[in-house]
Amino acid sequence: MMGISLNNKIPQVLITIILFSEFVTKIYGFHLNDFYVSLSFFVKISFVLFTFSIVIRNYKDQLSKYLICLFIYLLLELVIYKVNVKIDFYIYSIRYLYFLLLIIFLKTYNNSSRNEILKFLDFSLLVNSLLIIIGAGFQLYFFETYRGGRLGYNGIINMVSDTNYIYGFYILVNIFNPIIGRAKIIIFVNILVAILTGTKTVIFLATLFLVIKLIKFNKKLFYILLSFFITGSIVFKDFVIKNLSIMAKEHLWIYKDQGLLSSLTSTRFYNLTNSFKNILNGELSIIDIFLYNRKFISYRVEMELFDVVFFWGVLGAILFLYIFYKVNMLIVSKRDRIILICIFIISCFAGKLLTNFTSLLIMYSFFTSRPTILNEKN
């Protein structure tokens, strides 16, 4: 019975392992300034090697063919550039294959239903909500989102991008899907506490969810929570004013120095214009523009579409995005595509989605899971 139970919860086990390894990496990283190999690196590389073995065994499968196609393209770039590439090429080559590797793995081993995945996320984020509250209450630096300066606590989650996409996805799923067979109070607590993460994306989506769902489910509860929020803001006004002032000063400085668009995108638009200026000034060769950009790290702007082009080159980006589109149309149901589209739109302004192992694992664990009820197939 134990074996059967575990086999039915492989995505949940993998998510637990990667979250734990990322938390260990987060704690470990606080105490080291020099290079170190993280625990999450070993988890990810083990996963990649195992999944490549699945691809080799099932090389005729359509998903495997897509992966092999991208892999051959990357090998072709390596042949063209010979040894004239840095370690970044190998790191990001694997990272950009995460989405396909995860889908291939989960299509093979994900036997969970949608509600089983969501209940697992409910519980996991409830534990994280407790840690966020403890972190905020005692101002524990290793639970901070930004690690100095700005207000925000994300518990065991390591990276800001993980925080954006894990909570962003969780909130969007609960906005666009009916909450059936799950504890609403846990969902509301998780999303309410998510505001403390401090990221603009999560704050906006959490506020949107709370307004839409609370008014729909219970107007009285909505006004009670709103009263608590206003009262809490007044009681802790010094804390609120201090942190809002820090955030406002940061964005005001960017606005004065780099303009409105750069302020709204946290300097990303400014970095993007600089990258294009460098291209127009002839800093990149034609082969760098159309194939792999050997200066990718200095050109990366954390706006997903542009980062894809800067890494893969124009030709590679067309191939990559075509395969990304075809694969997702194949495995994501019509009713869930709005969630994927919203996440992808967010990534166009926040970046680091397609190279984010943890977030992609959680997303595709849901997308590849069995429907809980019949009409979820559509």
Side-chain angles (χ1 to χ4, degrees):
M1 292 298 290
M2 184 68 71
I4 294 172
S5 177
L6 186 62
N7 286 336
N8 288 335
K9 298 186 182 300
I10 287 177
Q12 294 93 316
V13 172
L14 184 56
I15 291 169
T16 302
I17 291 171
I18 194 64
L19 285 174
F20 174 76
S21 69
E22 289 284 5
F23 182 55
V24 172
T25 300
K26 180 178 183 178
I27 297 297
Y28 194 43
F30 272 116
H31 302 287
L32 291 174
N33 295 319
D34 300 325
F35 174 79
Y36 65 97
V37 178
S38 68
L39 176 60
S40 62
F41 168 81
F42 289 109
V43 174
K44 292 170 189 174
I45 201 67
S46 299
F47 169 84
V48 168
L49 292 173
F50 178 79
T51 308
F52 264 115
S53 72
I54 299 175
V55 173
I56 293 169
R57 293 197 305 269
N58 302 289
Y59 64 91
K60 291 184 179 180
D61 180 75
Q62 187 61 50
L63 292 173
S64 295
K65 288 178 181 178
Y66 283 136
L67 182 69
I68 292 167
C69 181
L70 288 175
F71 192 70
I72 290 172
Y73 180 87
L74 292 167
L75 285 177
L76 177 64
E77 288 183 335
L78 202 56
V79 170
I80 291 171
Y81 285 107
K82 296 182 180 177
V83 294
N84 194 21
V85 292
K86 299 178 181 179
I87 188 67
D88 303 324
F89 173 80
Y90 301 99
I91 292 172
Y92 280 91
S93 291
I94 294 298
R95 287 180 179 178
Y96 273 113
L97 297 180
Y98 279 161
F99 86 96
L100 253 176
L101 290 166
L102 283 164
I103 290 170
I104 290 169
F105 176 85
L106 291 165
K107 287 288 284 183
T108 306
Y109 292 105
N110 188 0
N111 296 315
S112 298
S113 69
R114 291 159 65 99
N115 251 23
E116 286 173 336
I117 296 293
L118 291 177
K119 285 179 179 178
F120 170 76
L121 288 179
D122 291 340
F123 174 76
S124 301
L125 293 182
L126 182 64
V127 173
N128 202 51
S129 293
L130 178 62
L131 296 177
I132 288 173
I133 292 169
I134 292 171
F138 293 95
Q139 298 185 25
L140 302 176
Y141 69 93
F142 47 83
F143 286 147
E144 289 181 357
T145 305
Y146 296 100
R147 302 172 197 180
R150 278 178 61 178
L151 170 68
Y153 293 87
N154 60 357
I156 64 171
I157 298 174
N158 187 15
M159 307 299 292
V160 177
S161 57
D162 290 343
T163 306
N164 260 334
Y165 295 122
I166 291 172
Y167 278 101
F169 173 75
Y170 181 75
I171 295 167
L172 287 168
V173 166
N174 286 298
I175 286 176
F176 290 111
N177 284 273
I179 301 173
I180 300 173
R182 295 159 59 212
K184 290 187 177 74
I185 186 65
I186 293 178
I187 297 167
F188 280 104
V189 167
N190 286 337
I191 295 176
L192 184 63
V193 173
I195 293 173
L196 293 176
T197 62
T199 77
K200 295 188 288 291
T201 300
V202 175
I203 291 172
F204 171 75
L205 290 175
T207 304
L208 184 65
F209 171 88
L210 291 169
V211 170
I212 292 173
K213 294 294 186 178
L214 278 175
I215 290 177
K216 179 181 178 181
F217 290 140
N218 193 323
K219 288 185 180 181
K220 184 178 179 181
L221 180 60
F222 170 75
Y223 290 116
I224 290 172
L225 288 176
L226 182 63
S227 300
F228 272 115
F229 178 77
I230 293 171
T231 303
S233 299
I234 294 170
V235 172
F236 299 102
K237 64 180 184 300
D238 293 337
F239 175 78
V240 172
I241 291 170
K242 175 189 172 183
N243 286 285
L244 287 177
S245 298
I246 292 171
M247 190 179 296
K249 285 177 182 177
E250 178 183 325
H251 286 280
L252 185 61
W253 178 85
I254 297 172
Y255 169 72
K256 289 179 178 178
D257 189 59
Q258 301 173 5
L260 178 61
L261 287 176
S262 193
S263 176
L264 292 174
T265 58
S266 300
T267 74
R268 291 181 179 89
F269 183 76
Y270 177 78
N271 295 334
L272 177 64
T273 55
N274 279 344
S275 292
F276 277 118
K277 283 177 184 176
N278 293 335
I279 293 172
L280 294 173
N281 289 336
E283 286 194 8
L284 294 182
S285 66
I286 294 298
I287 197 170
D288 283 332
I289 293 171
F290 282 93
L291 296 177
Y292 168 65
N293 177 5
R294 285 169 289 181
K295 298 179 180 178
F296 168 67
I297 294 300
S298 60
Y299 274 75
R300 189 178 53 150
V301 293
E302 294 186 7
M303 298 175 80
E304 201 65 69
L305 279 175
F306 295 106
D307 285 348
V308 168
V309 174
F310 289 148
F311 177 81
W312 288 89
V314 174
L315 295 177
I318 293 171
L319 175 65
F320 178 85
L321 292 172
Y322 170 77
I323 289 176
F324 181 77
Y325 170 80
K326 293 293 287 185
V327 168
N328 280 285
M329 290 304 101
L330 184 66
I331 66 109
V332 180
S333 67
K334 289 181 181 178
R335 65 176 292 157
D336 289 333
R337 286 173 192 169
I338 183 64
I339 299 170
L340 183 65
I341 290 168
C342 289
I343 288 290
F344 194 74
I345 290 172
I346 291 169
S347 76
C348 289
F349 299 95
K352 293 185 178 180
L353 170 65
L354 296 175
T355 57
N356 191 312
F357 185 91
T358 308
S359 304
L360 291 173
L361 170 60
I362 290 172
M363 284 172 49
Y364 287 115
S365 292
F366 174 79
F367 289 141
T368 60
S369 59
R370 291 183 290 104
T372 303
I373 52 178
L374 186 61
N375 64 6
E376 285 182 344
K377 293 182 179 179
N378 300 319

